Structures are given as structure tokens and as C-alpha cells.
Amino acid sequence: MAIYIDELQHIFHLQSRITSYVIQIVDGFPLLVYWGQRLSEKGNLAKLVPGLEKTELHAMPQEYPQYGTGDFRSPAYQVQLEDGSRITELRFKGYSVAAGKTALEDLPYVYTESVHEADTLELELEDAYSGMTVLLKYCIFVDGAITRSVQFKNNGASNIKLLRALSANVDLYGKSDYEFVYLAGHWAREAHLQRRPLGPGGTSLGSRRGMSSHQHNPFAAVVSLGTNEDHGEVFAVNLVYSGNFHAEAEVDAFGVVRLGIGLNPFDFCWVLPPGESFLTPEAVLVYSNEGIGGMSRIYHRLYRNRLCRGVHRDKERPILVNNWEATYFNFTADKIEAIAETGSQLGIELLVLDDGWFGKRDSDNSSLGDWVEDRRKLPNGLRDLAERIERHGLQFGLWFEPEMISPDSDLYRKHPDWCLHVEGRRRTEARWQLVLDLSRPEVRDYVYDALAEIFTNVHVAYVKWDMNRALTEIGSATALPENQQEIAHRYVLGLYKLLDKLTTAFPEILFESCSSGGGRFDPGMLYYMPQTWTSDNTDAVERLKIQYGTSLVYPVSTIGAHVSAVPNHQVHRETPLKFRGDVAMSGNFGYELDLTKFTDAEKIQVKEQVAMYKEHRSLIQKGDLFRLRSPFQGNETSWMFVSDNQCEAIVFYFQVLAKPTPATDILHLKGLNHSYTYEVSGESGVMGSFGGDRLMQAGLIIPPLTGDYTSVWFKLSAIQ
């Protein structure tokens, strides 16, 4: 890993172990002349793109293109000056290079723990007319990822309005046969894999909901034609942000693909007074020439080790039971303790008390914001319940929805202006709730104090932080008219300030993010909360697609996955307990049902599932994931986890529907050491010893499976 600079040719070469990213300054404009497999050359990298000195802006592969001076493609940024003009022209002014990586103020970011892990390049650009300067910040990590963010500074004498500010722009020059890969869905069917050819024109995705959304994840990739899990080139971008975002791939008349990601410019305007700066969220760029699977493993290692933080980053995550689908709002302290007692017998480690424990919360139409225990349900309070749970050997966890307020609440009656709203306009309710205005410090202080009071007096080991609606009427009672279009972004910045304060004050608490499931599954939230509730849909068949899609970018250690009761509460499907357990074990494992209703036979099966997960938890949560069969392409799904030293692996195989007279299925494994011999054991015992090359090239024979919704797993251990 290094940054090489050719002063004569004005070339900056960012080099890691697997990739090179080469920028050349031409006529004052920074151009991307190469991004791809690692180049070993340290010297002359000129003419990677021929004829640039004679090329007009509309055909240049620009790093941070502007509007209004000859490039008619989508710009990376746009500003409006005091005279009403929207024309700027950023030209190269200087650069700096440093070892390591610095923090981003008020924003989540990928970090380093040693200066040897990454190098940083900053290119300074200036618009001479307005005095505005722009810093393009690059950081290249030894394992290949590149982070990018942009800082605008107003050095002039008048306000500047920032109308568009992407975090990264990449012009892929020299190829035209690409496909666009992204994740899309809805509530209860998040992160479905999408893939489409790119042709002339633009393909865009994003969110205008004030959250990263169920509909689109802040991730996009451009892949060469025919790219699969193991082969082909991938150019991917992912935004470390939890609010409105925009990603776009535009193909111009010359076949150049412009890939960009950043804040959504829709309804965005940031007033930048003289002397002040604006910093965009960080984008994480990943190149892989080993297909989509290679891309995934780069993201996984980086996010698992250098995005997630705190004492829980490297700890094994607890197996939990959540009472929501067991009781909904109708519970007593005795009922919760009974679930914990049964959980203790089964080896479960954590009980989470979900919605309904506060205010007068007997349904979802009241009490959000009133974070005071309901003594009708909990006569002796939360502390007593937590102690009762702990006496059974389980930790105690608690559900909150701190960003919301119910119109039927004491807080709303006292502070009706604390929600996002526009005076004189209807306040749109969703789930009978409104959204607190976290851009206001006094609102954040209230939420912090209310939660800190509980955390100080009750031993809470885990928090499920929910957020169940999008933002509407995005306005703030205390903001000036000219700043109202900043509120969506200021809301997210306020949320980050609140989370930073809470996680700093209570580092021992394991926070899990949730937004009606996966509505805010993004790197921004993972910086504060190292795991996310992946979907409210716990049906095992649906979860195959949801967890597979989510794993394209996010490590398994961040994916919450539970076994729920049947018929499933979302799709009303009945699947066997074993199938549900095997699917849920491919994530942060838990149960979301009434444990006391299990039969004796089911309890034995659950106890075995829990023991199995504990045995392989470290491998599943920290190993390399290899996807073997896609639920988006057939009836079978399979994936496997391999340890860093390739000495251990576990393989899961799922069959959704039975087939008449099926052919023998052979599964080709991945990620093993070709020269190792592995003992392979299944649920019925040892199957034999096989070479790693044989298991990957000739494959592993899958025993016949009987019936719908069946699954099997295999353990591999290298023979020393």
C-alpha cells in the first residue's frame, strides 16, 4: 500500500495489495485515468487514457465534475452564488499526503488503528471567481478499499448555496459492456438482488424518505458483462450514511460510465456562510477482479473490523429471545420471566423485552416519548424484572423507539413543536406517530436524559433501537427559512450526535439498529450499532433472499436473524423448526416466539440448535462468507463460512421445494486450501476425508433431502 506521485506528469497513484487508482491532473482538472487490478509500475503512468490534453470536458473521465462549463453529464456538485449564477470551475491548487486516516467530524467513517493500515491523499481544488475551495479526500487501505469524502469551504465574502454534493464520482473509461447491480425491496422483502444491463442514459436509485430505506440500500456496483460470484470485474460504491442518498450510473455517447453516490440533491440546499465548511458523508469504493464474492469479502472484513466499534466489535454476539411475537403488547412480568426461565434451560443468553413496557402503551397508538416504565404491567419496575431475568442466567435487553413521538403522549402535550412539522400544514401520522426533530439540541438532550436515566438504574445489556416510519413535513420550528432545506441532513447529523453520546457513556451496552427491520441497514448506523435487525419478515424461505442480498455488502456479524413461530406472522407459511434454525444460524442467532409453548421434542431440538451455534458462532460471525447457490436463481440456496487459516468451515444447504426423482446434487465448495485434507461430517456423522482441491473442483455430494423446506449442514476440519 502506497501513494506514488509523479510531479512531472501530475500523476497520483494510489496502490494497495489488489488495486490501483490513478489520478492525473490535466489542464487543472483531476481525471481518473485508471481504476482496476493493481499496477506494479511506480514510474511513468502517463497516457493511460490517450489524447486527454486535446479532449473537451464532456469526454474527460473526471474525478469531481462540475455543472455549466461544457460537461453535460450528471455533475458531482452544484452551487449557487450570491449573484444567482450556478457556474463554478474547480482547478487543481495543491495536494497533501499523510500516513493513516483522520476522523471525519460529526460523521461516521471507516477508521484505522495504525498508520500502517492506510494512506491518505487530499487534492485541493479552487474556484477562483468565488473563492470556494474543495478538498477531495482519498484514503486507500492495504486490503484494497478506498474511501472518499469531499469538503467544501467558502473563502469568499458572500454566502454560497450548496445544491448538490456527491461524495464520490468515478468515470470508467475504455469499456462499455457493464451491468448495474443493486439491492431493492420493501418492508418485509428487503435487500433483493437486482441486476440490469447498462445502456446509453442514466440508471439511478436512492431515497427521499429521510432514511436509507427499505426500497433501496445505499450501495451500487457496476460489473463487467458476465460477472458472477467468482469471476469478473466489480466497481462498487457504498455510502456511510443513514439518510437521503442518491446513486447513479450514466453511460455517455462514448461508452464511458459515470458512477456516483452521495447525498440526494432532491430538496437539499445547504447555506454556506463565509469561512464555513461542509463535509460530505464518506463513500467506500471497492474493486474486485474476483467477482461479486470477492467484493463482498473486502467489504465484510473492512466493516467488521474498521467500521463497527466498541467492546462488542470483536465479541461473540449473544443468542437472544425476543418476546414481541410471543406476547406483543399483552404481557406481565411473570410471563416475561417464564420465557427467560425456559430460555435458560435451552442455553439462550439474553432476553429482550420489546414494545409495550412504558407509558400507557397497550397498542401502537400512544406513549412514544414517555420513557417511563408502566407499573400496571411491571408493578415492581424494570430494575426488578432485569434482576429476575439475570437470576436465570440471562442478560436483559430492552426495546426503544427514541426518535418518535405519539400525539397521544405526555411529551407531545407538553412540547407539540418538538416534532418535524411545517406550521399551518397537516402533520402526517404513520403508525399513529410523528418524528422528533433531532436537529434541535434540546430534543436530543431530552432523549439522552430519558434513556440515560434507565441505563443508570437498570442493568440493560442490549438495546433494540427501532425507527418505524419515514420523515414527512421535514421542517424545524427553530430553523430560519433559508435553512429549512438543510433539516433532512441536520436530522441525520443530530441522530449521529445522540448515538455518539449514548454509546460513549454506555459502552457496555450492545446496541442493535432496527427500522421496521431493514429500513436503515447502512454503514452509518453500523458505526454506532454493530448489528441490525435485518427484516421484520422472519419466514425462513423469505429470509434466504433477504440475508443473501444483505450479505453482498454487510458482514454476517451485523445481520440479525431469528427463529419465529409457525404459521409465520408475515406470510403465514409453515416451515420445519430445523429449516428455520439453519437459516437463522447464518446470522446473529435468536428466537422470536414463546419458548414456553415448545413441546418436549421441540425443546430438545432447540437446545441442539443453540449448542450447535455456540460451537460455530465465532466461525459464522468472523469467518469469510462464500455464497454457493443463489435463492434468486433456483430452488436451492447454499453458503459456507471459512476460518482465516482455512482449517475450519461450515456449509449450509437449503432446499425450498421437493422434486420428484431428483438428480444427485453436487455442491462445489469455495475458500478452502487446495493442499489440505478435510474431515467432513454431517448431521448423521463423519462422511469421510477429502482433499480441499477435490471438494472445490469435483464437489461434495449432497445426500437426498425429503420433503419441502429441508436443510442440511456440513462441518469441515483440516486434518493436521
Side-chain angles (χ1 to χ4, degrees):
M1 173 201 63
I3 297 176
Y4 300 106
I5 301 168
D6 183 338
E7 296 278 6
L8 184 63
Q9 301 288 342
H10 305 292
I11 288 174
F12 301 88
H13 179 191
L14 287 69
Q15 182 193 71
S16 75
R17 287 196 301 223
I18 64 172
T19 188
S20 283
Y21 192 98
V22 183
I23 303 164
Q24 185 172 7
I25 309 299
V26 177
D27 195 24
F29 298 107
L31 309 181
L32 176 63
V33 295
Y34 180 84
W35 182 26
Q37 193 168 351
R38 184 181 188 270
L39 300 176
S40 60
E41 188 174 354
K42 300 179 183 179
N44 185 12
L45 292 176
K47 299 190 182 301
L48 284 169
V49 177
L52 284 179
E53 66 279 357
K54 300 177 182 178
T55 303
E56 297 180 355
L57 279 177
H58 67 85
M60 285 184 170
Q62 296 183 69
E63 274 296 272
Y64 210 65
Q66 58 215 16
Y67 161 82
T69 59
D71 187 343
F72 303 99
R73 297 166 292 178
S74 293
Y77 78 98
Q78 186 181 7
V79 301
Q80 181 175 323
L81 305 181
E82 191 76 4
D83 61 9
S85 67
R86 284 89 56 216
I87 309 303
T88 56
E89 190 161 71
L90 294 173
R91 297 294 185 109
F92 177 73
K93 184 179 180 182
Y95 73 91
S96 65
V97 175
K101 186 173 189 287
T102 57
L104 297 187
E105 187 176 357
D106 297 330
L107 284 166
Y109 60 96
V110 177
Y111 59 90
T112 58
E113 292 186 346
S114 164
V115 294
H116 304 294
E117 295 177 3
D119 285 331
T120 297
L121 168 70
E122 291 187 351
L123 300 181
E124 185 179 12
L125 312 180
E126 182 182 36
D127 177 56
Y129 177 82
S130 66
M132 180 181 72
T133 57
V134 170
L135 277 182
L136 303 183
K137 298 171 177 282
Y138 303 81
C139 185
I140 185 158
F141 284 76
V142 65
D143 288 332
I146 299 170
T147 63
R148 289 187 59 178
S149 59
V150 181
Q151 184 177 48
F152 293 80
K153 185 173 183 181
N154 183 0
N155 298 304
S158 303
N159 285 353
I160 291 176
K161 290 182 179 178
L162 191 58
L163 307 177
R164 181 183 180 96
L166 297 190
S167 299
N169 179 91
V170 178
D171 285 359
L172 299 173
Y173 183 90
K175 299 179 182 178
S176 57
D177 292 334
Y178 284 116
E179 294 178 298
F180 197 52
V181 176
Y182 60 103
L183 302 173
H186 195 272
W187 174 80
R189 53 177 171 84
E190 297 89 340
H192 279 216
L193 177 60
Q194 307 293 326
R195 187 166 178 164
R196 63 173 67 174
L198 285 176
T203 301
S204 66
L205 58 113
S207 173
R208 295 184 291 272
R209 298 168 181 267
M211 53 202 278
S212 46
S213 83
H214 298 85
Q215 285 70 24
H216 291 128
N217 196 272
F219 157 81
V222 171
V223 305
S224 56
L225 199 63
T227 293
N228 58 24
E229 273 291 307
D230 307 303
H231 305 286
E233 285 194 304
V234 180
F235 303 88
V237 293
N238 190 209
L239 193 65
V240 186
Y241 188 63
S242 309
N244 294 338
F245 79 95
H246 174 80
E248 183 175 14
E250 181 182 9
V251 182
D252 71 9
F254 302 98
V256 175
V257 179
R258 173 164 288 178
L259 175 64
I261 195 167
L263 294 171
N264 197 320
F266 176 81
D267 199 36
F268 170 81
C269 176
W270 191 277
V271 178
L272 200 58
E276 292 195 8
S277 299
F278 179 88
L279 182 64
T280 70
E282 187 166 80
V284 182
L285 284 61
V286 166
Y287 166 81
S288 168
N289 66 343
E290 296 180 348
I292 294 172
M295 174 208 74
S296 296
R297 286 181 287 279
I298 294 172
Y299 274 123
H300 291 178
R301 294 173 194 137
L302 184 70
Y303 287 176
R304 189 168 58 234
N305 300 313
R306 292 297 181 265
L307 176 68
C308 297
R309 303 177 301 155
V311 297
H312 295 283
R313 184 191 72 180
D314 301 322
K315 284 185 176 181
E316 295 180 351
R317 308 292 165 74
I319 301 171
L320 64 84
V321 59
N322 184 298
N323 74 294
W324 178 240
E325 290 192 9
T327 67
Y328 292 102
F329 294 101
N330 185 25
F331 61 82
T332 64
D334 289 343
K335 177 61 179 178
I336 299 301
E337 184 180 10
I339 294 174
E341 183 178 12
T342 303
S344 176
Q345 298 165 5
L346 302 176
I348 291 172
E349 300 160 320
L350 169 71
L351 181 139
V352 181
L353 177 61
D354 210 281
D355 197 357
W357 58 266
F358 56 92
K360 299 176 182 177
R361 185 79 165 171
D362 296 323
S363 65
D364 55 6
N365 63 1
S366 75
S367 301
L368 289 172
D370 298 340
W371 301 111
V372 179
E373 56 205 1
D374 183 354
R375 292 282 179 157
R376 298 171 305 156
K377 297 177 183 177
L378 306 173
N380 297 313
L382 280 173
R383 183 170 180 172
D384 171 75
L385 178 60
E387 291 172 351
R388 291 165 68 177
I389 300 302
E390 289 174 342
R391 281 197 288 271
H392 292 288
L394 277 70
Q395 296 177 303
F396 179 65
L398 202 54
W399 177 95
F400 291 88
E401 194 171 1
E403 299 167 64
M404 301 295 153
I405 183 171
S406 301
D408 181 12
S409 68
D410 293 339
L411 181 63
Y412 188 81
R413 284 183 280 271
K414 185 176 181 181
H415 296 289
D417 68 322
W418 274 16
C419 65
L420 292 173
H421 70 282
V422 176
E423 197 61 38
R425 300 287 184 178
R426 175 171 62 90
R427 301 184 181 190
T428 302
E429 294 182 26
R431 290 172 53 98
W432 296 281
Q433 62 195 54
L434 300 168
V435 183
L436 285 171
D437 182 2
L438 294 187
S439 73
R440 297 171 61 174
E442 66 273 26
V443 177
R444 298 195 300 269
D445 289 345
Y446 168 81
V447 175
Y448 175 84
D449 290 342
L451 271 59
E453 174 73 15
I454 294 172
F455 299 157
T456 301
N457 293 289
V458 181
H459 189 197
V460 177
Y462 163 104
V463 165
K464 181 179 178 181
W465 182 293
D466 214 341
M467 192 264 198
N468 279 310
R469 61 155 293 178
L471 278 55
T472 57
E473 291 84 46
I474 301 177
S476 176
T478 58
L480 297 173
E482 59 265 30
N483 299 121
Q484 291 294 340
Q485 286 178 288
E486 301 172 5
I487 299 305
H489 184 52
R490 288 191 181 277
Y491 177 92
V492 179
L493 295 179
L495 171 64
Y496 290 157
K497 288 180 181 178
L498 174 60
L499 295 180
D500 190 66
K501 188 175 181 180
L502 279 167
T503 55
T504 299
F506 302 97
E508 72 284 355
I509 296 177
L510 171 59
F511 284 84
E512 179 176 274
S513 173
C514 175
S515 182
S516 291
R520 207 162 57 183
F521 203 132
D522 59 65
M525 294 305 293
L526 292 179
Y527 182 77
Y528 304 98
M529 305 183 181
Q531 60 189 60
T532 300
W533 180 229
T534 318
S535 178
D536 283 345
N537 189 346
T538 52
D539 171 65
V541 176
E542 290 296 313
R543 271 303 188 107
L544 290 173
K545 291 182 176 179
I546 293 168
Q547 292 173 208
Y548 185 101
T550 302
S551 78
L552 251 69
V553 190
Y554 305 105
V556 166
S557 61
T558 68
I559 296 174
H562 296 172
V563 175
S564 60
V566 291
N568 174 264
H569 290 197
Q570 288 77 46
V571 300
H572 309 290
R573 190 186 345 254
E574 295 200 35
T575 54
L577 181 56
K578 172 176 167 42
F579 187 80
R580 284 175 277 154
D582 286 350
V583 173
M585 274 194 273
S586 301
N588 286 324
F589 188 47
Y591 293 84
E592 189 139 349
L593 40 67
D594 190 345
L595 300 177
T596 66
K597 293 183 178 180
F598 276 138
T599 65
D600 289 342
E602 288 172 329
K603 287 180 180 179
I604 292 173
Q605 193 171 1
V606 169
K607 197 169 184 178
E608 291 173 349
Q609 287 177 348
V610 169
M612 157 75 171
Y613 189 75
K614 287 180 178 179
E615 181 182 355
H616 300 285
R617 172 164 45 190
S618 181
L619 175 59
I620 291 170
Q621 294 181 357
K622 300 177 183 179
D624 283 336
L625 170 68
F626 292 85
R627 293 179 291 266
L628 309 179
R629 297 277 178 87
S630 170
F632 297 100
Q633 295 178 342
N635 187 55
E636 292 81 33
T637 300
S638 182
W639 46 60
M640 63 184 291
F641 304 92
V642 182
S643 64
D644 281 345
N645 60 11
Q646 299 177 300
C647 289
E648 291 183 279
I650 184 166
V651 182
F652 289 91
Y653 178 93
F654 308 93
Q655 174 182 276
V656 176
L657 297 177
K659 297 178 181 178
T661 60
T664 300
D665 198 357
I666 298 177
L667 192 64
H668 294 269
L669 306 188
K670 301 177 185 178
L672 304 176
N673 190 304
H674 285 80
S675 62
Y676 286 5
T677 298
Y678 293 89
E679 182 182 83
V680 180
S681 58
E683 296 167 63
S684 57
V686 176
M687 300 171 61
S689 298
F690 309 94
D693 53 353
R694 177 245 167 96
L695 291 169
M696 291 189 288
Q697 295 165 24
L700 177 69
I701 297 175
I702 303 298
L705 301 179
T706 303
D708 296 339
Y709 318 126
T710 51
S711 58
V712 64
W713 50 259
F714 308 93
K715 295 187 286 187
L716 282 70
S717 300
I719 300 173
Q720 301 299 322

